Amino acid sequence: MFRIPRARVLASVLAGAALSAGQPLAALAAAPTAEFAVSPAQMQALDVTVRKLDQPAAIAGLASPARVVLPPNQDVMVSAPVDGVIDRLLVNPQDVVKTGQPLLRMASPAYGELQLKLMEADSRAKLARQASDREKQLFAEGIIPERRVQEAQAAQSGSDAAVRQAQAALRLAGADVAAVRRAAASGKLDDTLTVRARSDGLVVSLDAKLGQRVKEADPLLRIANLRELWLEVQVAPGVTVPRGGEITVVGREVTAVALSVGALVGDAQTQTLRARVMRGADQLRPGEVVQARVPFAAGAGWSLPLAAVTYQDDKAYVFVRSAKGFVATPVTVLSSAGQAVQVRGALQSGQEVAVSSVIALKSAWLGKGGGE
């Protein structure tokens, strides 16, 4: 079945509209110029609609899957400081904790050994200090040579260093300053150790179980500081994100800004775009999968429907409304996403651009009734 091209039908309608408006048909067959006449009656007959330009802006791209993640310095793994048995759990998953808050308690002979080492080192340091004071006094009385004073001072320095090392080992195990001082002064051993939070955050996982025997450095729980979140968006290879372009999360009042795009392409033939959440972080949770819209193109342009752009001799044009009719204005297509396109050209805010029946306007512009 023979079908008449739609462009030819629309051009015929345009010609009919011109005759009904009292304009000669020869006007439609004139050589193509940048500006051509189209009356309001012709626009109505062809159902030509226009859109007023507002401000240049980036186009939000198609929705892409994104995972909510924590920056590397915001995710804290709490591990067992010493060998022991989990004696008591003091928090639950999803609990919000503060710095210094008790998380769990361990029964640990190894913790007692650390206290014993501190007591022994402190006792040796006291003896070394007394010996050094005595040697100084004997040297002052001329009884012993200075060499013995120097040897006593060296022994005292070594003993003091051993005390500091034992104190550091206890602090690393989770003992606070008061507990360290108490262990050295009282001479009593405490076989239970309370593990405390070292930063504010949310307990995102709890691996420890009551009665579980753990080794030093075994993972116990994870605490996430939610003051900063990232999005890892899976985008098509080669996508260029505008500098400072705003990434939005579908269905939520969440915005983020791009940080970097990974250099590697994954098995799903996508690249990972990392973005820092700037607003709405309280609406997200680490590990959650959302849909994010990433703006395309390297800079801001005029956002128009895809149907508003036509091509002639490999050049893109849009039709801008003028007092006489329309002006065929060349543009550069920056990007497209779905039914939207972003262009750059000699356009100004407030101008009206044809967004429908563009093919009929093109036929009138070129002065022919054939197809594209």
Side-chain angles (χ1 to χ4, degrees):
M1 180 178 178
F2 179 72
R3 299 180 63 182
I4 301 175
R6 185 171 181 270
R8 180 170 298 173
V9 175
L10 292 174
S12 300
V13 174
L14 182 61
L19 291 175
S20 64
Q23 295 184 5
L25 184 60
L28 299 175
T33 58
E35 184 175 12
F36 56 98
V38 178
S39 68
Q42 292 171 336
M43 290 180 58
Q44 185 175 3
L46 293 172
D47 195 24
V48 176
T49 57
V50 296
R51 173 183 293 185
K52 182 176 291 187
L53 297 178
D54 185 13
Q55 293 293 334
I59 298 177
L62 299 176
S64 302
R67 181 178 295 275
V68 182
V69 299
L70 291 163
N73 60 343
Q74 299 294 107
D75 189 6
V76 179
M77 174 63 73
V78 180
S79 57
V82 292
D83 297 353
V85 177
I86 304 300
D87 179 67
R88 188 176 179 184
L89 297 176
L90 304 176
V91 294
N92 298 304
Q94 305 302 313
D95 282 356
V96 176
V97 297
K98 301 293 184 181
T99 302
Q101 179 177 336
L103 303 174
L104 53 85
R105 192 174 67 183
M106 296 177 58
S108 173
Y111 179 58
E113 293 177 2
L114 291 176
Q115 298 173 74
L116 179 60
K117 289 181 179 179
L118 174 60
M119 295 176 190
E120 292 174 346
D122 187 67
S123 297
R124 287 194 295 268
K126 290 179 180 177
L127 291 176
R129 193 175 303 110
Q130 293 173 359
S132 177
D133 292 341
R134 184 175 60 256
E135 296 293 273
K136 288 179 182 178
Q137 183 177 358
L138 293 175
F139 173 71
E141 294 174 357
I143 300 176
I144 61 173
E146 185 179 6
R147 176 181 56 81
R148 289 183 52 178
V149 176
Q150 295 173 346
E151 292 175 349
Q153 290 177 337
Q156 180 183 348
S157 298
S159 299
D160 290 341
V163 171
R164 291 193 295 271
Q165 191 276 334
Q167 291 174 339
L170 272 176
R171 288 196 297 270
L172 185 61
D176 56 22
V177 176
V180 172
R181 291 176 179 173
R182 187 167 57 250
S186 65
K188 296 180 180 180
L189 300 180
D190 188 359
D191 60 355
T192 60
L193 170 65
T194 299
V195 179
R196 300 177 181 273
R198 297 190 178 184
S199 62
D200 297 348
L202 177 75
V203 179
V204 294
S205 67
L206 181 60
D207 300 324
K209 307 297 181 184
L210 189 63
Q212 178 183 0
R213 184 175 297 276
V214 296
K215 295 291 186 179
E216 182 180 354
D218 282 354
L220 301 177
L221 52 87
R222 283 177 56 214
I223 296 178
N225 194 327
L226 303 183
R227 65 185 179 188
E228 182 177 337
L229 294 176
W230 286 2
L231 295 177
E232 288 189 347
V233 190
Q234 302 304 313
V235 297
V239 168
T240 301
V241 182
R243 185 176 182 180
E246 188 175 85
I247 298 171
T248 59
V249 174
V250 178
R252 306 190 192 183
E253 295 183 359
V254 177
T255 58
V257 294
L259 295 176
S260 63
V261 178
L264 300 180
V265 177
D267 294 338
Q269 295 302 299
T270 59
Q271 287 180 287
T272 300
L273 164 66
R274 289 182 175 85
R276 177 185 292 115
V277 176
M278 305 301 294
R279 182 171 65 91
D282 57 331
Q283 302 180 37
L284 303 173
R285 285 294 180 266
E288 182 180 9
V289 176
V290 296
Q291 295 292 313
R293 293 191 183 276
V294 180
F296 292 155
W302 301 96
S303 179
L304 293 170
L306 187 62
V309 180
T310 187
Y311 292 85
Q312 177 65 22
D313 296 331
D314 296 329
K315 295 181 180 180
Y317 294 86
V318 296
F319 296 117
V320 180
R321 191 82 169 96
S322 65
K324 182 180 178 181
F326 286 91
V327 177
T329 304
V331 294
T332 300
V333 176
L334 299 177
S335 64
S336 62
Q339 294 302 310
V341 66
Q342 187 183 46
V343 301
R344 179 182 296 155
L347 302 175
Q348 298 179 2
S349 298
Q351 289 181 325
E352 294 180 334
V353 175
V355 295
S356 67
S357 298
V358 172
I359 192 171
L361 294 179
K362 178 181 177 181
S363 297
W365 169 46
L366 299 177
K368 61 184 180 180
E372 291 184 270

